[in-house]
Amino acid sequence: MKKLIVIVLALVAIGGVVGYMMYNKPHRSTAAATSDFVVSAPTLFQEFNTDETSANAKYLDKVVKVQGTVKSVEADEAGNVIMTLDAADEMFGVICTIPKEEAANAAIPEAGEVVTVKGVCTGKLMDVVLIRCVLVA
Amino acid sequence: MLSVLVLFAAITVSQAQDKYFTKTGKITFYSSTPMEDIEAQNKTTTSVIDTKTGKMEFAVLMKAFQFEKALMEEHFNENYVESSKFPKANFSGTITNLGDINFKKDGTYKAMVKGNLTIHGVTKPIEVPGTITVKDGAIQAVSTFNIAPEDYNIEIPSLVREKIAKQIKVTVDMAYEPFRS
């Protein structure tokens, strides 16, 4: 009987720890993730422009490595960086948000530089949006 | 989405100075209950404002809302807003007291905006108060209002219902720049 109580308590404790860890599980690290696709910014934009449904099926929630020329860079008050890559379109491009933790450790490129970023694709509004981006050397 | 495109298209044919836009607008939502506070932020809202007609358009990608905890983000996307099925939310509306706002003069103005909000494939009419600040040729628009997930057919399982507020506080913060075509 005593043994049973110990086992039950142990199970409850394990359950509690696992539950707590699941609740606090970290965000998928973009830096550590292998990219599902490698694509140029104009190609990515074009794919969404041509057929948004199939581009969504292909890219949504995927880690995508995108190469392109920086069109503009701005930082918000919290230190997050929002970088737009040129997509061979007059108005729209590929918007990459770089979280402040990442931005603080990276050399933020200037407009005109050619860069490669890795980020999670969330779809296209007017621009294609990537979040949790990291700059790839 | 289409309406945003239409508005962008309309921009090119009318006076460019009347239109302001942003692609990096912020939308935050906040759910507060005794059990848990949940906050998520989206920093890539696209919005256009036409100062001549008072029309405003907002569009946002649901998957671009970022939460503190990965699990919350997962539940939000997969179980609640079903962001793979309904990737976008948008709002299309008009400033109802346009006469009270002078976009040519620096100052802070109270605004009421009325229109249709679409989330999770459900469109509802809403009317929200906001503040518009005009400074040095740029426009900032801020608004805070509440929405109920149930109004948009967002089902929250009873097991976690107590952790998510009945009314979610939404904060919109847009820094518009003049549109140059």
Side-chain angles (χ1 to χ4, degrees), chain B residues 31-37 161-165:
Chain B
S31 152
S32 178
T33 62
M35 293 188 70
E36 195 164 57
D37 288 342
R161 193 65 199 90
E162 294 306 308
K163 289 186 175 182
I164 297 165

Side-chain angles (χ1 to χ4, degrees), chain A residues 44-53 55-56 59-60 87 89 92-95 121-130, chain B residues 1 5 44 46 59-64 87-89:
Chain A
L44 182 67
F45 182 80
Q46 207 48 52
E47 280 188 56
F48 271 96
N49 237 6
T50 316
D51 185 350
E52 194 173 339
T53 315
N56 274 339
Y59 291 112
L60 279 196
D89 183 276
F92 309 116
V94 175
I95 296 184
C121 186
T122 63
K124 176 176 174 284
L125 275 178
M126 312 301 295
D127 309 75
V128 177
V129 177
L130 300 181
Chain B
M1 179 56 200
L5 273 178
T44 49
T46 295
V60 74
L61 287 167
M62 296 309 275
K63 282 184 191 292
K88 291 163 194 170

Side-chain angles (χ1 to χ4, degrees), chain A residues 11-60:
Chain A
L11 284 176
V12 168
I14 292 168
V17 169
V18 170
Y20 184 77
M21 279 167 68
M22 276 173 67
Y23 175 70
N24 282 301
K25 76 171 179 180
H27 282 287
R28 173 168 62 163
S29 155
T30 318
T34 49
S35 42
D36 298 299
F37 296 99
V38 181
V39 68
S40 76
T43 308
L44 182 67
F45 182 80
Q46 207 48 52
E47 280 188 56
F48 271 96
N49 237 6
T50 316
D51 185 350
E52 194 173 339
T53 315
S54 64
N56 274 339
K58 184 173 171 187
Y59 291 112
L60 279 196

